Amino acid sequence: MTATDPAAAPAAPAHNWSALSLLHGRVESRVERALHTAHRLSAREYALLDVLSRQHDGEGGHLQMRQVAGSVVLSQSATTRLVTRLEERGLLARHLCPSDRRGIYTDVTDAGLHLLEQARPTHDSALRDALHQAAAEPALAPLVHVVQHLQGGFRPPP
């Protein structure tokens, strides 16, 4: 079989997906350990605080719970549990939407912003270290290159 053989084509997406999954798992594991050890935060908790901090620009800078779920790629029930944990720690607050009493917004508190700022260098360092280590592996190096050269940042749709 050659690289241009049509029989070889179906394996390429599966192999690429496996490599992407492996890179994600390794990076997330390293970041998770570093954040938990230094700040008692999970990677998902950090991601949620980060997303909410970027939305905070005064009135209207909150996210609805469905937007929160989409931003951290969790189900509604898992998102509710995550928000509840952070709310119990005083890091998030929930508010009723003034125009729709059924709508609930989530916002990061001052304590959450403070913890996020303390955790950001830990997160960034662990991320850099994990990507550097993965770049040494031929199967992961192209993916690391893409991650390192993305422009503009990724924002999930609302």
Side-chain angles (χ1 to χ4, degrees):
M1 231 186 291
T2 66
T4 57
D5 186 347
H15 174 74
N16 294 343
W17 181 253
S18 292
L20 180 59
S21 181
L22 178 62
L23 177 64
H24 176 268
R26 287 188 184 174
V27 169
E28 188 170 56
S29 177
R30 181 131 186 187
V31 169
E32 182 84 30
R33 279 191 313 270
L35 286 171
H36 187 268
T37 299
H39 307 284
R40 290 188 11 183
L41 275 177
S42 71
R44 294 260 191 210
E45 291 168 339
Y46 175 89
L48 179 54
L49 290 173
D50 185 52
V51 165
L52 288 171
S53 76
R54 295 174 196 280
Q55 294 299 317
H56 187 67
D57 57 2
E59 188 64 31
H62 315 290
L63 287 180
Q64 292 179 343
M65 288 296 286
R66 67 175 173 74
Q67 294 170 308
V68 171
S71 70
V72 292
V73 194
L74 289 174
S75 68
Q76 280 290 115
S77 61
T79 300
T80 299
R81 289 190 301 274
L82 177 63
V83 167
T84 298
R85 272 197 319 269
L86 292 174
E87 188 177 37
E88 287 170 353
R89 290 176 61 187
L91 304 174
L92 295 182
R94 287 186 250 202
H95 311 278
L96 288 177
C97 174
S99 61
D100 179 3
R101 290 296 199 198
R102 295 170 296 167
I104 298 175
Y105 288 91
T106 306
D107 194 13
V108 64
T109 64
D110 289 340
L113 289 172
H114 181 72
L115 180 58
L116 178 64
E117 289 311 309
Q118 289 179 324
R120 193 175 308 279
T122 303
H123 173 272
D124 293 351
S125 176
L127 178 60
R128 272 191 310 273
D129 291 348
L131 290 173
H132 178 74
Q133 188 174 34
E137 296 184 38
L140 300 180
L143 294 171
V144 171
H145 179 77
V146 169
V147 168
Q148 291 174 328
H149 292 91
L150 285 173
Q151 296 295 315
F154 173 75
R155 294 185 75 121

